Amino acid sequence: MDKKTIGILGGGQLGRMVVEAASRLNINTVILDAPNAPAKQINAVSEHIDGSFTHYESIVKLAEKSDVLTVEIEHVDADALKRVKQKFPHIEIYPLPETIKLIQDKYLQKEHLIQHDIEVAESIPVLDNTEQALLEVGEKFGYPFMLKSRTLAYDGRGNFVVKSSDKVGEALEFLKDRPLYAEKWCPFVKELAVMVVRSLEGEVFAYPTVETIQQDNICHLVIAPARIPDTLAKKASILANNAVKSFPGCGIFGVEMFLLPNNELLVNEIAPRPHNSGHYTIDACVTSQFEAHVRAVAGLPMPKGFTEFSTTSTNAIMLNVLGDKDTADKELEICRRALETPHATVYLYGKTTRPGRKMGHINIVSSSMEDCENRLEYISGSTASLPASLTPKEQPLVSIIMGSDSDLPVMSVGANILKTFGVPFELTIVSAHRTPHRMAQYAIEAPKRGLKVIIAGAGGAAHLPGMVAAMTPLPVIGVPVKGSVLDGVDSLHSIVQMPRGIPVATVAINNSTNAALLAIRILGVFQPKWLNEMNQYMVNMEHEVLGKAEVLEDIGYEKYLTDKLKK
Amino acid sequence: MDKKTIGILGGGQLGRMVVEAASRLNINTVILDAPNAPAKQINAVSEHIDGSFTHYESIVKLAEKSDVLTVEIEHVDADALKRVKQKFPHIEIYPLPETIKLIQDKYLQKEHLIQHDIEVAESIPVLDNTEQALLEVGEKFGYPFMLKSRTLAYDGRGNFVVKSSDKVGEALEFLKDRPLYAEKWCPFVKELAVMVVRSLEGEVFAYPTVETIQQDNICHLVIAPARIPDTLAKKASILANNAVKSFPGCGIFGVEMFLLPNNELLVNEIAPRPHNSGHYTIDACVTSQFEAHVRAVAGLPMPKGFTEFSTTSTNAIMLNVLGDKDTADKELEICRRALETPHATVYLYGKTTRPGRKMGHINIVSSSMEDCENRLEYISGSTASLPASLTPKEQPLVSIIMGSDSDLPVMSVGANILKTFGVPFELTIVSAHRTPHRMAQYAIEAPKRGLKVIIAGAGGAAHLPGMVAAMTPLPVIGVPVKGSVLDGVDSLHSIVQMPRGIPVATVAINNSTNAALLAIRILGVFQPKWLNEMNQYMVNMEHEVLGKAEVLEDIGYEKYLTDKLKK
């Protein structure tokens, strides 16, 4: 796709996944890292450089074979990169060495963000590493506060929570000799993250806003999309875009954020490279974060929408696979359970196992988050056997309920329609007046059980459809059942005349056929299969009536009537 | 994931994509093919064998480094594989050499399928390659008939359409010296294909049934799912499963089928390996055909459902990228347009360009097939610029129509609800009685325009909702608008009392609020976002009423009433 060769500083899993994306586009890559590093394993060129990405001479060797340089880790020698740029002016380096240098020092990064009006947690530099200096911080920020290393910190290494004034000694001991800054305690309710890819022209494209869940300071889970209101997710996305706009150059950036109890968002930190919180994009999004990065640094097209979820109904969970603490390769058990789980994909990085090391990750994708969660439960070993709900089966999509078995003759006609169409459904008795608690439970649990539409039939003072609609956000279709008096108008008005706020989709008296057909039309809104079948049904119906018309015209109305009477 | 090394005979694009899938699982692979073959490029081990997959000694060298042997092409030396199995009894070979041998000879393949009650096109062997023999075929089958090479045929090479008796000479000239058979002309309406993966225990898992479109005898497009009725797709899937069950051993198989005008299905041919018609699975399915093959031959788990579409609303089109006939690398223009198109992914195979050569493929995935088609149009160059419809925008999901502008005061209340929820909608006048043709067009075009739900308001002899419902498969919500007489009961009954077959979801008189809320509930059936917002709305409503109750209890009903009157 492009004749440029991309040189990558660092050949860990991030580099490996960049190489995979580049290979799919016939774009050459060369890696600088230790021999047989994960990224080198999947690229059979002989040009790779064995060496360290913090070593100037090695970077020069890489540059000699590259048209573009990029990084999979920000802890490279940024000054060396600047010198390389001077030595090879024709080589492009993304992210810019200046950006890397700024981001490497987390305090400078914060100052930069503040200058660009990006909200961050309040911080102050610790100018000398003394107990006195920390006590002054404690006076200013109160306890607990965060003591953080300005450089070379990752996965929580380099952070210390100073819980009280008598812990400052311990904190200094833990982080001694490192350049430090202090951050006001941030009582966040969730950690969010947004991957953003920036083009050279400064256009930014945000991936969906996700939720990250840490365990022992290491990313454990990523939930996509974040389980927060839509407006908040959008706010996070804008904040991330603005943050990344502040860095010239191009490439992918990971923006980590805190969501505070008052719904405020603060940027925690930014990584100028592919990020663990973006691994879900491989399976859930149109373009993975790795390909997005390749496209950015190689100057390939980045159209609007290429960072979206693959389809509107995509939900995903990413689970990191860490080297087991006790038994080598025990983490493969998690992977095996993932392989046993539909809608889960395993990625292993070709690394030698070590306790706590990131060995791989697992992506779970489904049209429902609950489904993702159920699958995660099995994979992570919280449930011993694959729950029955996970083995694909015909789960009811539609439920038919009625106030009394006397409604069954009417309601069974609709059930037959669902059967003919092959719509999985359940049918039962739920009475508003005689089983009010069952009704409430049924209505509340319906969405969780995977039901999509409820058809409720009732007669007389017909409360069932409206009461169920009042306790579920699902669409409820009401069938007025005709009683012995009032011709069903009592039921009709009881069902259709709902107050503003709670709709019931009412069909004609006794017409459960139309209730079933309406349910199928509703399913068809997002499942084309049902839409097609409804189309076919309508065509057949038309043919049938046209056929009758033909016969009627053919044999005349008198014979037609006699024939019909005979039947 | 597995300590076994998989040796692959053939290192073209199919092998390459198998290697990619294996690497993701930390499974070792070794390739037998020419130096720098596509599959070798992405696997940096030194153990690859340079040589031919039809050469016994080379296969032995590969076997010496492998625990399992598999193929990416069926034109290997099957007898050599049998001898290798004798020499290295501990090595597993999948597909079985016997299966490869059977499938290599297309006539034997057909006989095998017939023995297993799999429907195939009627064929007879051509025992000697003479004009006389062919004329006899012509007498038996009529013209045209297909003359086919029993072996080494692919991408249409090895097939000749004998159009009349005076073409038999030409046919013999074209296929001279090859072992031949003749096939009765098959007037198919579509070509279908199903990828099926078989476990060693004989369990089979079918991928979705797809449609393949050939151009110059080479696969041009794959449409997933096939645009055929569901029952037919299921039938194709069962046929494919049964065909693959008939071959012992394990691995992935591509089953090509003809769909005849009478809806009959015939198996055309079977490939015992990953297949061009399954490339869409990389982006559209839970597990790609390549990973499925790796799992099968490595004995890894293959759970039910792992071959499904990623989400229920997945649609995909695969476009092959062929080397341009005139200008080298011109095919990259198609790839570039694909990169400019959201929801499209480019795969290039690392091959030197040659006219007509399969250089790569493009997968387009979306929740709507129409969207895939629009994107394909741009990518393939039929439209010069990316259609505006492809740049993501707020497409109306809901339409509000009314018979007259006098209904607007009632209907606008519902429009405001949609606005508050942020549901994109359109609003216009469509009168059943005064603009019947416009109504028909509106109803018919609604699904194509991406509308999901129609809200129709009308008064008096209110025909609009029912008539629209009669001409669209979408759910239609009817709002009875109260006129100057009869209190709206006329409208209510006109709307709700639809005949069996055509449902209208009727809400209370003048209650367009509930129509809008019902539309949102319907969208929420498959888009959790709306379901969540509906939940929130219901919670807010509850709080609001509880708040009023508190005030009422607090200040007493008399003051409450006075206060309310003041407002």
Side-chain angles (χ1 to χ4, degrees):
Chain A
M1 200 60 240
D2 197 272
K3 305 287 180 209
K4 287 182 196 145
T5 295
I6 303 178
I8 307 175
L9 284 80
Q13 68 267 22
L14 299 175
R16 180 180 172 108
M17 291 185 271
V18 170
V19 167
E20 189 192 73
S23 294
R24 285 182 168 188
L25 294 171
N26 280 2
I27 291 178
N28 299 323
T29 48
V30 196
I31 312 295
L32 163 59
D33 207 335
N36 201 35
K40 292 184 178 177
Q41 295 169 17
I42 64 163
N43 185 356
V45 297
S46 55
E47 285 85 354
H48 296 311
I49 312 293
D50 291 343
S52 162
F53 43 74
T54 59
H55 182 234
Y56 173 70
E57 302 303 334
S58 301
I59 302 176
V60 167
K61 278 193 208 161
L62 183 73
E64 281 166 351
K65 296 177 174 173
S66 308
D67 303 293
V68 187
L69 289 183
T70 189
V71 304
E72 63 132 28
I73 182 163
E74 61 273 34
H75 304 310
V76 298
D77 186 337
D79 291 321
L81 274 179
K82 282 188 201 168
R83 284 165 62 202
V84 165
K85 178 71 193 171
Q86 281 158 1
K87 192 176 163 76
F88 305 97
H90 65 284
I91 289 186
E92 293 152 26
I93 305 180
Y94 303 122
L96 298 180
E98 295 72 21
T99 298
I100 296 173
K101 189 146 177 85
L102 201 57
I103 282 181
Q104 275 177 346
D105 183 325
K106 293 214 255 177
Y107 187 71
L108 290 185
Q109 186 192 132
K110 277 213 157 58
E111 285 198 320
H112 168 89
L113 292 172
I114 291 168
Q115 278 162 22
H116 287 83
D117 294 325
I118 307 296
E119 294 83 355
V120 296
E122 199 184 332
S123 304
I124 38 173
V126 176
L127 295 178
D128 51 2
N129 292 8
T130 60
E131 298 204 0
Q132 184 50 35
L134 293 194
L135 289 171
E136 277 167 26
V137 171
E139 260 167 55
K140 184 170 161 64
F141 283 166
Y143 296 92
F145 68 85
M146 289 295 291
L147 190 63
K148 292 183 167 185
S149 172
R150 292 170 66 142
T151 57
L152 293 173
Y154 66 100
D155 288 349
R157 281 172 256 192
N159 290 355
F160 192 94
V161 182
V162 185
K163 291 194 178 139
S164 58
S165 59
D166 53 355
K167 296 285 183 192
V168 295
E170 205 179 309
L172 271 183
E173 180 58 30
F174 185 74
L175 293 172
K176 67 179 164 198
D177 304 334
R178 301 182 74 162
L180 299 177
Y181 74 106
E183 200 175 271
K184 201 171 169 180
W185 186 252
C186 202
F188 60 83
V189 289
K190 268 182 202 290
E191 290 185 83
L192 305 178
V194 179
M195 297 304 307
V196 177
V197 62
R198 188 190 197 278
S199 75
L200 202 47
E201 295 74 34
E203 218 181 341
V204 289
F205 305 86
Y207 278 90
T209 301
V210 303
E211 200 178 324
T212 61
I213 295 170
Q214 320 289 321
Q215 221 168 48
D216 302 329
N217 288 314
I218 295 188
C219 176
H220 172 52
L221 292 177
V222 172
I223 315 280
R227 295 162 302 182
I228 55 174
D230 232 51
T231 41
L232 213 50
K234 185 75 198 158
K235 207 174 125 188
S237 168
I238 292 169
L239 180 61
N241 274 344
N242 287 339
V244 172
K245 271 187 203 154
S246 76
F247 298 103
C250 65
I252 190 104
F253 292 77
V255 182
E256 294 182 291
M257 279 170 274
F258 294 130
L259 173 62
L260 303 187
N262 62 356
N263 283 346
E264 209 187 325
L265 290 164
L266 299 180
V267 168
N268 174 22
E269 59 181 77
I270 294 181
R273 52 162 172 87
H275 192 259
N276 201 165
S277 69
H279 290 357
Y280 77 96
T281 62
I282 303 177
D283 290 294
C285 294
V286 177
T287 314
S288 77
Q289 62 164 339
F290 305 102
E291 183 177 331
H293 185 61
V294 170
R295 290 199 194 196
V297 304
L300 291 172
M302 300 199 284
K304 279 208 170 15
F306 85 126
T307 55
E308 286 172 0
F309 281 124
S310 312
T311 64
T312 43
S313 58
T314 302
N315 286 270
I317 294 181
M318 192 275 328
L319 167 70
N320 267 339
V321 177
L322 303 181
D324 192 77
K325 294 222 161 53
D326 307 310
T327 319
D329 286 340
K330 190 154 184 274
E331 66 276 5
L332 291 182
E333 285 173 19
I334 289 180
C335 298
R336 195 168 178 96
R337 280 197 298 270
L339 290 178
E340 287 165 11
T341 309
H343 293 248
T345 312
V346 175
Y347 298 83
L348 290 170
Y349 304 149
K351 291 158 123 182
T352 316
T353 183
R354 272 208 309 261
R357 195 178 200 196
K358 287 180 182 167
M359 301 302 298
H361 71 269
I362 293 162
N363 282 344
I364 309 168
V365 175
S366 174
S367 25
S368 110
M369 183 55 80
E370 208 201 338
D371 185 82
C372 291
E373 286 163 359
N374 285 338
R375 289 169 204 272
L376 173 67
E377 235 175 68
Y378 173 69
I379 293 170
S380 58
S382 340
T383 52
S385 64
L386 200 60
S389 67
L390 292 196
T391 47
K393 60 162 198 280
E394 291 279 85
Q395 223 183 325
L397 295 174
V398 176
S399 114
I400 301 183
I401 55 177
M402 58 206 80
S404 148
D405 62 357
S406 65
D407 303 324
L408 189 55
V410 167
M411 299 306 288
S412 61
V413 182
N416 289 339
I417 292 278
L418 293 179
K419 227 178 220 169
T420 313
F421 273 83
V423 176
F425 70 98
E426 61 178 38
L427 183 152
T428 188
I429 297 169
V430 176
S431 166
H433 304 132
R434 283 160 296 191
T435 63
H437 306 298
R438 170 172 161 79
M439 175 183 68
Q441 196 183 350
Y442 192 89
I444 291 163
E445 288 179 352
K448 262 200 289 184
R449 294 202 298 116
L451 289 172
K452 301 299 184 192
V453 186
I454 297 174
I455 298 174
H463 296 175
L464 182 66
M467 286 308 300
V468 169
M471 290 184 283
T472 181
L474 294 178
V476 175
I477 301 172
V479 181
V481 176
K482 180 177 158 180
S484 50
V485 292
L486 295 174
D487 269 347
V489 174
D490 46 348
S491 328
L492 172 61
H493 290 178
S494 302
I495 292 172
V496 78
Q497 285 298 110
M498 286 293 291
R500 275 177 227 290
I502 307 293
V504 170
T506 311
V507 294
I509 295 164
N510 273 7
N511 199 334
S512 68
T513 299
N514 277 4
L517 292 172
L518 180 58
I520 295 164
R521 286 185 182 221
I522 290 173
L523 294 178
V525 163
F526 287 103
Q527 296 194 333
K529 167 185 167 178
W530 305 115
L531 198 76
N532 295 341
E533 303 221 342
M534 182 53 63
N535 252 326
Q536 195 52 51
Y537 176 84
M538 292 170 77
V539 169
N540 294 348
M541 195 157 53
E542 192 170 10
H543 280 169
E544 204 180 299
V545 176
L546 292 178
K548 284 183 184 173
E550 204 177 301
V551 174
L552 174 57
E553 288 166 24
D554 202 34
I555 64 176
Y557 76 93
E558 285 143 324
K559 181 159 171 13
Y560 190 95
L561 209 53
T562 343
D563 286 4
K564 201 172 176 181
L565 283 176
K566 272 190 215 147
K567 278 183 197 160
Chain B
M1 199 61 238
D2 198 271
K3 306 287 181 211
K4 287 181 197 148
T5 293
I6 302 178
I8 307 176
L9 285 79
Q13 68 266 23
L14 300 175
R16 180 180 172 106
M17 292 185 270
V18 170
V19 167
E20 189 193 73
S23 294
R24 286 182 167 188
L25 294 171
N26 279 3
I27 291 178
N28 299 323
T29 48
V30 196
I31 311 295
L32 164 58
D33 207 333
N36 200 34
K40 291 183 178 177
Q41 296 169 16
I42 64 162
N43 185 356
V45 297
S46 55
E47 285 86 353
H48 296 311
I49 311 294
D50 291 344
S52 163
F53 43 76
T54 59
H55 182 236
Y56 172 71
E57 301 303 335
S58 300
I59 303 176
V60 167
K61 279 194 208 160
L62 182 72
E64 281 167 352
K65 296 178 175 171
S66 309
D67 303 292
V68 187
L69 288 184
T70 189
V71 304
E72 62 131 30
I73 181 165
E74 61 272 34
H75 304 309
V76 298
D77 186 337
D79 291 321
L81 274 179
K82 283 190 202 169
R83 284 165 60 204
V84 165
K85 177 73 192 171
Q86 280 158 4
K87 192 176 164 78
F88 305 98
H90 65 283
I91 289 185
E92 293 152 27
I93 306 180
Y94 304 120
L96 297 180
E98 295 74 19
T99 298
I100 296 173
K101 190 147 178 84
L102 201 56
I103 281 181
Q104 276 178 346
D105 183 325
K106 293 214 255 176
Y107 187 71
L108 290 186
Q109 186 193 131
K110 276 211 157 56
E111 284 198 320
H112 169 88
L113 291 173
I114 291 168
Q115 278 163 23
H116 287 84
D117 295 325
I118 308 295
E119 294 82 356
V120 295
E122 198 182 335
S123 306
I124 40 173
V126 177
L127 295 176
D128 50 3
N129 293 8
T130 61
E131 297 204 1
Q132 183 50 36
L134 293 194
L135 289 171
E136 278 167 26
V137 171
E139 262 168 53
K140 184 173 160 66
F141 283 166
Y143 295 92
F145 69 83
M146 289 295 291
L147 190 64
K148 292 183 165 184
S149 173
R150 291 170 65 141
T151 56
L152 293 174
Y154 67 99
D155 288 348
R157 281 172 257 193
N159 290 356
F160 191 95
V161 182
V162 186
K163 291 195 176 139
S164 58
S165 58
D166 53 355
K167 296 285 183 194
V168 296
E170 205 179 309
L172 273 183
E173 180 58 28
F174 186 74
L175 293 171
K176 67 179 167 199
D177 306 333
R178 300 182 75 162
L180 300 178
Y181 74 105
E183 201 175 270
K184 202 170 167 181
W185 186 252
C186 202
F188 59 84
V189 289
K190 269 182 201 290
E191 290 184 85
L192 305 178
V194 179
M195 297 304 307
V196 177
V197 61
R198 187 189 199 279
S199 74
L200 203 48
E201 295 75 35
E203 218 180 341
V204 288
F205 304 86
Y207 279 90
T209 301
V210 302
E211 200 177 324
T212 61
I213 296 172
Q214 320 289 320
Q215 223 169 47
D216 301 329
N217 287 314
I218 295 187
C219 177
H220 172 54
L221 293 176
V222 172
I223 316 280
R227 296 162 300 182
I228 54 173
D230 230 53
T231 41
L232 213 50
K234 185 76 197 158
K235 208 174 125 187
S237 169
I238 291 170
L239 180 63
N241 274 343
N242 286 339
V244 172
K245 270 186 202 154
S246 75
F247 298 103
C250 65
I252 191 103
F253 292 75
V255 183
E256 294 182 290
M257 280 171 273
F258 295 129
L259 173 62
L260 304 186
N262 62 355
N263 284 344
E264 209 186 325
L265 289 164
L266 299 180
V267 168
N268 174 21
E269 59 181 78
I270 294 180
R273 51 162 172 86
H275 192 261
N276 201 166
S277 69
H279 290 356
Y280 77 95
T281 61
I282 302 177
D283 290 294
C285 294
V286 178
T287 314
S288 76
Q289 62 164 340
F290 305 102
E291 183 177 331
H293 185 61
V294 169
R295 290 199 195 196
V297 304
L300 290 173
M302 300 200 282
K304 279 207 173 16
F306 86 126
T307 56
E308 285 172 2
F309 282 124
S310 312
T311 64
T312 43
S313 58
T314 302
N315 286 271
I317 295 182
M318 192 276 327
L319 167 70
N320 267 339
V321 178
L322 304 182
D324 191 77
K325 292 216 161 56
D326 307 310
T327 319
D329 286 340
K330 187 150 185 278
E331 65 276 4
L332 291 183
E333 286 174 19
I334 290 180
C335 297
R336 196 170 176 94
R337 279 198 299 270
L339 289 178
E340 287 165 10
T341 309
H343 293 249
T345 312
V346 175
Y347 297 84
L348 290 170
Y349 304 148
K351 290 158 123 182
T352 316
T353 182
R354 271 208 309 261
R357 195 178 200 195
K358 286 179 184 168
M359 302 300 299
H361 72 270
I362 292 162
N363 282 344
I364 310 168
V365 175
S366 173
S367 25
S368 110
M369 182 55 81
E370 209 200 337
D371 185 82
C372 291
E373 286 163 358
N374 285 338
R375 289 169 204 273
L376 173 66
E377 237 176 65
Y378 173 69
I379 293 170
S380 59
S382 338
T383 52
S385 63
L386 200 61
S389 67
L390 291 196
T391 47
K393 61 163 198 281
E394 291 277 87
Q395 222 182 327
L397 294 174
V398 175
S399 115
I400 300 183
I401 55 177
M402 59 207 80
S404 150
D405 61 357
S406 65
D407 302 326
L408 189 56
V410 167
M411 300 307 288
S412 63
V413 183
N416 290 338
I417 292 278
L418 294 179
K419 227 176 220 173
T420 314
F421 273 82
V423 176
F425 70 98
E426 61 178 39
L427 183 152
T428 188
I429 297 169
V430 176
S431 165
H433 304 133
R434 284 161 295 190
T435 63
H437 304 299
R438 171 173 159 80
M439 174 183 68
Q441 196 184 349
Y442 192 90
I444 290 163
E445 288 179 352
K448 261 199 290 179
R449 294 202 298 118
L451 289 172
K452 301 300 184 191
V453 186
I454 297 175
I455 298 175
H463 296 176
L464 182 66
M467 286 309 299
V468 169
M471 290 184 284
T472 180
L474 294 178
V476 175
I477 301 172
V479 181
V481 176
K482 180 177 157 179
S484 51
V485 292
L486 294 176
D487 269 348
V489 173
D490 46 348
S491 329
L492 171 60
H493 290 178
S494 300
I495 294 173
V496 77
Q497 284 298 108
M498 287 293 290
R500 274 176 228 290
I502 307 291
V504 170
T506 311
V507 295
I509 296 164
N510 274 5
N511 199 334
S512 70
T513 300
N514 276 4
L517 292 172
L518 180 58
I520 296 164
R521 285 185 182 221
I522 289 173
L523 295 177
V525 163
F526 287 103
Q527 296 193 332
K529 170 186 165 177
W530 305 116
L531 199 76
N532 295 340
E533 303 219 343
M534 182 52 66
N535 253 325
Q536 196 50 52
Y537 175 84
M538 292 170 78
V539 169
N540 293 349
M541 194 156 55
E542 193 170 8
H543 280 169
E544 204 180 301
V545 176
L546 291 177
K548 285 184 183 173
E550 206 179 298
V551 174
L552 174 57
E553 288 168 21
D554 202 33
I555 64 176
Y557 76 93
E558 285 143 326
K559 179 157 175 16
Y560 190 96
L561 210 53
T562 341
D563 286 3
K564 202 173 176 181
L565 284 177
K566 274 190 214 145
K567 277 183 199 161

